[in-house]
Amino acid sequence: MAEYTDHDGGAGDDVPDLSDSDNEEQWQWMEEANDNNFQVTCLFCDKMSNSVPETLQHCLVEHQVNLVEVVKKHKLDDYGYIKMINYIRTEKCSGQSLSTLPECSIPWESDEYMRPALQDDPILQIDLEELCEGMGMLAEPSTGSQCEASHSSDALLQRAQAAEERAQRTEEALARAMDDLHKLKLLAQGLVLNADVGRGTGALGAVAELREDEDEAYFSSYGHYSIHEEMLKDTVRTESYRDFMYLNPEVFKDKVVLDVGCGTGILSMFAARAGAKMVIGVDQSEIIYQAMDIVRSNQLQDRVTLIKGRIEEVKLPVEKVDIIISEWMGYFLLFESMLDSVLYARDLYLAEGGSVYPDRCTISLAAVGDTEKHQGRIAFWDDVYGFKMACMKRAVVPEAVVQVLKPDTLISKPAVIQGIDCNAVCLSELEFASDFCLKITESTDCTAIVGYFDIFFDRDCGNKVVFSTGPQVTKTHWKQTVFLLENPIPVQAGEELQGRITVRKNKKDPRSLFITFDLHDMKQTYSLQ
């Protein structure tokens, strides 16, 4: 799960210092030549040259490959050119095989070839239009004298080197501009998050309407390897998904499967091994590049296709899928609002008769009697080294606590307060209010309410699988969500503790939650963010 982030503050910060952009020379081509003392590796052999033009001329003479002709033949744009260069370096493509490719065959269409095969590859930094113009002259010299041809070639090399210098200076200016833009973006986000305005609730939902820069922190948190290690080592979670797929191969046989938020690709590979004929994994975080390597390492690239991007923005290679799998659950089930993205994919891509898995889930509450924990976190502020700090309770109590609860602190039977059918639920139903009744099992003080969820793989399954995140069973990385009461409530065994819970998204940050309890003449709103 994503680490907690502080969304307060920022509006009152000083405007950040920006780079000095008054000097127009930073944004214009400079006349001085930069140091171009670097080595360029040939695309087809280990030959090292001192410049890109020299390398391209080597490719033409020694390997009979005219890159311009290849670009024109396959009608490549800038992105197609980048993919082609990375494909050649990654797959060790020969000059002959590249030149003989038919027009209709482009083996580098996959987005995985947008990832540079060679760090800071100079051949990727040249301008495609100038490449076409220059290499065209080189491949088709005039019929004049040998001296004229040599002069034309020298002029071409000079132009190409000048283009390299301009590109390098452009990159430096762009880096400064991007730094300025990032500073302004942080300032603007602080102003927006602290403004007293709510996000509109359009037809797509608040999460789908988030801009990429607004959602950057969420996806960046999943780019860290440690979070994926934690999830993979959660055997309750991972083995439940594995068992569901491996024990129900008839559900996956020859099916097209979409994995929303695929992470390291573990669920995609489970689905492929279970018999799916095609699996499409989508993830916006940087972990997708490791997932591509993982899929190739397990020889599943013929059945598993991975796409980087938000499911709301990417285009799938198919119109419909038979199954959608996703591990979308957050703390208290709905934190992070990833289910919104799964429902978006369901409504857009799921074929008639298809299914989302897990297909059913529930949220439960129970009463907690843990005087020691309450004393350590809440009553502690009444007397701190002889000083009264009770005002701190107003800041501490509203923070929901994610922790592993001791089972012996439960003092009631659990009560299900919400059930979700992932194949039928509407987006609006993910914000709800529900009355609940907790049957007390022990006479003591109720110091908190705990929430957790259960997950079901049920629909069309001959071997049904279920797992729980409750305190009575093996712990998971979701732990439990504890809502501490400022003032404990005395309860007696056999009585019923009645209340009402309201769950809604934070309008300023739709991935976080506000959870309100009306309980025993007390009303308290908790934040989970």
Side-chain angles (χ1 to χ4, degrees):
M1 295 297 99
E3 298 176 358
Y4 291 159
T5 55
D6 184 4
H7 297 284
D8 296 330
D13 294 344
D14 294 333
V15 176
D17 294 331
L18 304 182
S19 63
D20 182 9
S21 58
D22 292 337
N23 188 352
E24 293 184 358
E25 290 182 355
Q26 293 182 350
W27 305 96
Q28 297 175 345
W29 310 125
M30 300 188 299
E31 295 181 356
E32 302 83 25
N34 291 334
D35 181 13
N36 288 305
N37 185 23
F38 60 89
Q39 294 288 297
V40 186
T41 306
C42 173
L43 292 170
F44 307 103
C45 67
D46 295 330
K47 167 75 174 177
M48 302 291 288
S49 304
N50 293 323
S51 69
V52 172
E54 186 178 336
T55 300
L56 298 182
Q57 189 173 17
H58 166 79
C59 291
L60 181 62
V61 174
E62 298 297 330
H63 302 286
Q64 291 75 53
V65 175
N66 186 326
L67 283 185
V68 169
E69 293 304 319
V70 177
V71 168
K72 290 180 178 179
K73 176 180 178 181
H74 297 288
K75 300 180 177 62
L76 301 181
D77 57 11
D78 289 338
Y79 292 109
Y81 171 76
I82 292 172
K83 290 181 180 180
M84 177 186 71
I85 297 300
N86 290 327
Y87 168 80
I88 295 171
R89 292 203 186 279
T90 301
E91 306 300 336
K92 310 299 183 186
C93 174
S94 68
Q96 181 180 4
S97 63
L98 181 68
S99 300
T100 57
L101 279 175
E103 292 185 18
C104 59
S105 177
I106 301 181
W108 53 78
E109 285 187 335
S110 173
D111 284 343
E112 69 178 287
Y113 295 115
M114 286 299 293
R115 185 181 185 184
L118 184 65
Q119 189 71 22
D120 299 325
D121 191 344
I123 296 182
L124 294 179
Q125 300 174 17
I126 63 174
D127 183 85
L128 186 57
E129 291 184 4
E130 294 204 10
L131 169 69
C132 291
E133 180 182 351
M135 284 295 291
M137 292 173 56
L138 185 62
E140 301 175 5
S142 64
T143 57
S145 67
Q146 183 177 1
C147 180
E148 291 175 343
S150 175
H151 178 75
S152 176
S153 178
D154 290 342
L156 169 62
L157 290 175
Q158 291 176 1
R159 290 183 60 191
Q161 289 169 352
E164 287 185 52
E165 294 169 7
R166 293 199 300 272
Q168 183 174 352
R169 291 191 292 271
T170 302
E171 287 185 9
E172 293 172 355
L174 179 60
R176 290 191 293 269
M178 292 299 293
D179 184 61
D180 288 350
L181 181 61
H182 180 67
K183 293 175 182 177
L184 289 173
K185 182 180 73 173
L186 293 177
L187 176 64
Q189 286 178 340
L191 292 171
V192 170
L193 288 174
N194 285 275
D196 189 19
V197 293
R199 183 181 299 275
T201 54
L204 296 179
V207 169
E209 292 176 351
L210 285 171
R211 299 190 309 272
E212 182 175 342
D213 59 332
E214 292 178 301
D215 223 10
E216 181 180 359
Y218 169 69
F219 288 109
S220 293
S221 69
Y222 281 92
H224 298 291
Y225 305 139
S226 58
I227 196 169
H228 294 280
E229 180 181 352
E230 180 184 21
M231 291 189 292
L232 291 170
K233 287 181 176 179
D234 183 343
T235 56
V236 172
R237 162 202 181 265
T238 308
E239 291 180 3
S240 293
Y241 276 89
R242 180 201 63 188
D243 292 348
F244 150 63
M245 288 185 256
Y246 284 6
L247 296 177
N248 295 281
E250 69 282 357
V251 174
F252 288 86
K253 182 175 174 56
D254 297 328
K255 295 294 196 303
V256 178
V257 178
L258 172 61
D259 180 1
V260 179
C262 63
T264 57
I266 187 68
L267 302 189
S268 295
M269 293 188 291
F270 283 158
R273 289 270 175 89
K277 68 177 181 181
M278 181 181 186
V279 184
I280 305 164
V282 178
D283 203 303
Q284 167 68 351
S285 71
E286 296 297 311
I287 198 68
I288 191 77
Y289 296 121
Q290 277 67 43
M292 292 174 181
D293 291 338
I294 292 169
V295 167
R296 283 194 293 268
S297 298
N298 290 276
Q299 291 80 49
L300 290 171
Q301 64 270 26
D302 58 331
R303 279 187 288 166
V304 178
T305 300
L306 301 180
I307 301 173
K308 186 180 189 301
R310 287 170 23 120
I311 189 64
E312 294 87 354
E313 297 172 354
V314 301
K315 181 175 177 58
L316 300 188
V318 296
E319 290 188 3
K320 295 293 179 181
V321 300
D322 303 302
I323 294 172
I324 295 176
I325 56 173
S326 180
E327 194 275 80
W328 53 265
M329 297 81 76
Y331 300 133
F332 199 65
L333 187 67
L334 297 176
F335 175 66
E336 292 183 340
S337 295
M338 188 178 163
L339 180 55
D340 295 31
S341 297
V342 175
L343 299 186
Y344 176 92
R346 180 198 68 184
D347 295 341
L348 185 60
Y349 294 115
L350 191 62
E352 184 175 354
S355 184
V356 177
Y357 293 102
D359 54 291
R360 191 163 59 89
C361 42
T362 60
I363 303 175
S364 298
L365 299 178
V368 178
D370 190 343
T371 304
E372 181 180 353
K373 182 68 69 175
H374 188 274
Q375 174 67 36
R377 187 169 177 87
I378 305 299
F380 164 79
W381 299 104
D382 290 330
D383 184 353
V384 182
Y385 297 100
F387 296 97
K388 297 178 181 178
M389 296 189 181
C391 61
M392 286 294 297
K393 293 181 183 180
R394 292 194 296 271
V396 174
V397 171
E399 293 182 354
V401 181
V402 176
Q403 66 179 66
V404 176
L405 198 71
K406 296 178 181 178
D408 58 8
T409 62
L410 295 177
I411 60 170
S412 80
K413 294 182 179 179
V416 175
I417 52 105
Q418 183 73 350
I420 296 177
D421 180 348
C422 296
N423 287 289
V425 69
C426 298
L427 199 60
S428 60
E429 295 173 337
L430 302 184
E431 296 183 284
F432 61 91
S434 175
D435 294 323
F436 62 87
C437 181
L438 304 178
K439 188 170 182 179
I440 302 299
T441 58
E442 182 179 339
S443 298
T444 185
D445 285 339
C446 177
T447 59
I449 302 295
V450 64
Y452 61 91
F453 59 89
D454 296 334
I455 297 297
F456 302 84
F457 300 90
D458 196 357
R459 186 175 182 181
D460 299 327
C461 294
N463 295 290
K464 303 181 188 303
V465 176
V466 58
F467 72 86
S468 176
T469 64
Q472 314 94 323
V473 295
T474 304
K475 70 177 182 179
T476 69
H477 77 283
W478 288 288
K479 306 174 185 177
Q480 292 88 43
T481 305
V482 178
F483 307 95
L484 291 163
L485 305 179
E486 181 174 358
N487 300 307
I489 302 173
V491 292
Q492 298 295 319
E495 73 177 28
E496 294 179 342
L497 183 61
Q498 298 183 349
R500 183 173 179 82
I501 183 174
T502 303
V503 178
R504 58 188 175 89
K505 293 182 174 71
N506 180 349
K507 291 182 179 180
K508 295 179 182 178
D509 176 12
R511 292 200 181 276
S512 61
L513 296 176
F514 285 137
I515 301 162
T516 302
F517 283 91
D518 286 286
L519 183 67
H520 207 267
D521 299 326
M522 176 274 296
K523 185 173 183 178
Q524 177 66 57
T525 297
Y526 301 85
S527 64
L528 189 55
Q529 60 184 22

